[in-house]
Amino acid sequence: KFSVVIAGGGSTYTPEIILMLLDNLDKLPLRCIKLYDNDEDRQNKLAKACEIIVKEKDPDIEFVATTDPQTAYTDVDFCLAHIRVGQLPMREMDEKISLKHGVVGQETCGPGGIAYGMRSIAGVLENIDYMEKYSPNCWMLNYSNPAAIVAEATRRLRPNSRVINICDMPIGLENSYAQILGFKDRKEMDIRYFGLNHFGWYTSIKDKDGNELLPKLIEHQLKYGNCPENEAEGNYTDDSWMETARKVKDLVRLDPTTTPNSYLQYYLYGDDMVAHSDPNYTRANQVMDGREKRVFGECARIAEVGTAKDTTLEIGIHASFIVDLATALAFNTHERMLLIVENNGAIENFPDDAMVEIPCIVGKDSYEPLSIGKIPTFQKGLMEQQVAVEKLVVDAWIEHSYLKLWQALTLSKTVPSANVAKALLDDLIEANKGYWPEL
Ligand code: G6P
Ligand code: MN
């Protein structure tokens, strides 16, 4: 049986991840679940409820909530890392500062992602170092954002660590493709995909008999995006995700031979995104007023009544990839999963040292990227620009370089000029005092 620690224990995603782990004990048997956060008050809003949930499922599973790294990282097999340095108020700053300059205001894309990357690197490295000190055989399944920049930082600064960077977005996308194509389960499809994190394209979707279904999906997407014909039946968490699903229509028009990761809307239709944003009430506000209140409220209720039997908290279906990944590493299942890995020739006409999101076969304590071959000019051009941004951010963090970060912002497809990039940078530096290295 395995022991796991959730780093970023105070995240609103923690309860649904615990429910998901408990729902999969037949696949991944657990003896211990620990929550670790450096914000004790925040973690305490969830910890009691999580303990009740765990104990009601199986009283033999040990439950620990701690702010002490040694307690957290001693005797663990898997670390599920979803830390958010600066928490949601800093996400709000990222989004609002970007919008103030007329640029896409988003958590992981554009200036917001760059600012968040500069905050996240130290936190992720710190957690890796604790893990290596206290449980050297542990695997970190890292989905801390912005995953692309974090992955480049781990590649460069902790190249031999047992860290796997992964994102749940493809799972969400594949769930909607499965719904559109009439499959019960996304795993009934065999997919091909290449790109960067939050920046990729599906090039094939086959059924188990090998029939290619991508043209059929694209035909649908040109009319309805990623929504089913009856939009209301889509499995979106809220209106904002439904809008994203709709916008896929425009993305597919631009290249009707592939189907995109919907995050590309921020790079390819930035003007539309800005036009539809409220600079005074951004996604961070929606999340704080919505998901955060709901999850903390429900956890407080569970703690008070002392049972989670009638809880409204739901299993995090998207998070099922975590169990799949841990199970593959532990039991050699050879499951095919999209991971963020060093390219090393997998995409033939792309730099070896870029972190790319591609299918890998995951087995006992290892993973093996599949070969992708050559990619088309349109995607290659976009990806080269974006990879350069990510690399410059990590350079800037390592070298404390104002210039490199200005270049990174200037190069981002979301930013119209070096002037705007500089104005953004100066505001972001001010807002991120205490979080960024001094430039
Ligand atoms: C997807 C992405 C995550 C991201 C999340 C944001 O799941 O893969 O990387 O953090 O969306 O969702 P939110 O509801 O917080 O805007
Ligand atoms: Mn993601």
Side-chain angles (χ1 to χ4, degrees):
K1 290 194 181 182
F2 300 96
S3 169
V4 302
V5 58
I6 300 181
S11 163
T12 51
Y13 289 119
T14 296
E16 64 178 58
I17 285 173
I18 289 187
L19 285 166
M20 192 268 312
L21 290 171
L22 296 174
D23 196 46
N24 284 282
L25 290 172
D26 52 335
K27 276 201 213 160
L28 189 72
L30 297 179
R31 60 186 162 85
C32 178
I33 297 176
K34 303 194 218 191
L35 304 189
Y36 169 60
D37 206 298
N38 57 10
D39 181 342
E40 186 167 21
D41 289 344
R42 189 179 169 96
Q43 182 164 267
N44 280 343
K45 296 192 171 136
L46 304 166
K48 188 71 207 158
C50 290
E51 180 170 17
I52 290 168
I53 290 170
V54 170
K55 293 296 176 186
E56 280 183 345
K57 175 79 184 186
D58 181 351
D60 290 338
I61 298 178
E62 188 189 348
F63 179 86
V64 178
T66 181
T67 54
D68 172 41
Q70 182 168 359
T71 309
Y73 279 102
T74 299
D75 184 30
V76 283
D77 304 293
F78 294 104
C79 169
L80 318 181
H82 61 195
I83 65 166
R84 181 187 287 282
V85 178
Q87 302 181 347
L88 288 162
M90 284 309 291
R91 174 180 184 175
E92 182 184 6
M93 291 290 264
D94 294 343
E95 293 167 346
K96 290 187 175 170
I97 290 171
S98 304
L99 286 168
K100 179 184 141 197
H101 293 275
V103 172
V104 164
Q106 216 279 328
E107 173 194 23
T108 65
C109 304
I114 291 172
Y116 188 11
M118 289 290 286
R119 289 197 300 276
S120 285
I121 296 173
V124 170
L125 297 183
E126 182 184 295
N127 276 276
I128 293 173
D129 294 344
Y130 287 138
M131 174 180 91
E132 299 197 324
K133 180 164 177 204
Y134 298 117
S135 285
N137 289 320
C138 181
W139 277 102
M140 180 180 286
L141 315 184
N142 184 41
Y143 42 103
S144 305
N145 268 325
I149 291 169
V150 165
E152 171 62 13
T154 58
R155 183 191 75 83
R156 205 105 59 95
L157 299 166
R158 296 294 182 277
N160 301 313
S161 298
R162 287 160 71 99
V163 181
I164 298 185
N165 297 291
I166 188 165
C167 164
D168 68 342
M169 193 61 206
I171 312 291
L173 292 169
E174 288 164 37
N175 281 338
S176 31
Y177 305 160
Q179 187 183 20
I180 291 166
L181 293 169
F183 294 108
K184 279 212 194 69
D185 186 342
R186 68 181 167 84
K187 292 191 181 178
E188 291 169 48
M189 307 181 299
D190 284 324
I191 62 94
R192 296 286 286 171
Y193 175 98
F194 72 85
L196 315 171
N197 177 243
H198 291 184
F199 205 100
W201 294 265
Y202 287 87
T203 54
S204 170
I205 296 175
K206 288 184 175 167
D207 65 17
K208 289 296 172 201
D209 297 325
N211 299 307
E212 182 57 74
L213 302 173
L214 191 67
K216 189 177 162 199
L217 177 65
I218 287 172
E219 201 188 320
H220 175 99
Q221 289 175 324
L222 287 168
K223 286 195 209 134
Y224 308 104
N226 280 351
C227 304
E229 269 178 57
N230 178 358
E231 248 185 28
E233 287 167 10
N235 45 10
Y236 319 107
T237 40
D238 55 38
D239 290 351
S240 152
W241 281 105
M242 179 140 98
E243 250 172 64
T244 295
R246 255 185 233 138
K247 189 71 184 166
V248 165
K249 226 183 299 183
D250 290 330
L251 289 169
V252 175
R253 274 194 204 120
L254 195 54
D255 174 15
T257 66
T258 61
T259 189
N261 189 313
S262 48
Y263 271 99
L264 284 157
Q265 67 182 346
Y266 297 109
Y267 299 97
L268 299 173
Y269 291 97
D271 47 359
D272 292 351
M273 295 298 124
V274 172
H276 292 149
S277 301
D278 178 348
N280 299 311
Y281 193 82
T282 59
R283 182 66 190 160
N285 298 113
Q286 289 175 15
V287 170
M288 288 187 278
D289 293 342
R291 184 168 69 230
E292 193 173 60
K293 287 221 167 78
R294 177 170 50 76
V295 171
F296 285 165
E298 175 60 3
C299 286
R301 191 194 64 82
I302 292 172
E304 199 179 313
V305 297
T307 173
K309 288 218 169 69
D310 50 358
T311 184
T312 53
L313 294 169
E314 286 174 1
I315 298 173
I317 310 278
H318 287 200
S320 61
F321 69 91
I322 299 165
V323 166
D324 291 336
L325 181 55
T327 308
L329 292 166
F331 300 118
N332 207 22
T333 62
H334 291 127
E335 180 153 346
R336 201 151 160 269
M337 306 188 71
L338 292 178
L339 304 179
I340 304 159
V341 297
E342 197 169 49
N343 184 39
N344 276 331
I347 302 176
E348 211 181 308
N349 51 347
F350 207 67
D352 280 351
D353 65 354
M355 290 303 273
V356 294
E357 193 168 81
I358 51 174
C360 298
I361 305 289
V362 188
K364 179 77 183 164
D365 282 327
S366 66
Y367 56 86
E368 221 177 314
L370 296 181
S371 146
I372 303 293
K374 290 204 171 82
I375 58 172
T377 307
F378 177 56
Q379 280 83 2
K380 181 169 176 279
L382 288 167
M383 282 166 61
E384 276 167 350
Q385 180 182 27
Q386 180 59 19
V387 160
V389 171
E390 291 157 8
K391 286 190 177 294
L392 284 165
V393 174
V394 176
D395 287 344
W397 187 86
I398 294 171
E399 299 164 21
H400 297 202
S401 167
Y402 181 97
L403 189 61
K404 291 276 174 74
L405 205 57
W406 184 19
Q407 291 174 351
L409 283 157
T410 303
L411 197 55
S412 173
K413 191 160 172 52
T414 57
V415 177
S417 81
N419 285 323
V420 178
K422 184 148 193 318
L424 270 163
L425 179 53
D426 291 336
D427 280 359
L428 289 170
I429 289 175
E430 191 56 36
N432 281 279
K433 283 216 171 92
Y435 289 111
W436 286 7
E438 240 176 87
L439 304 184

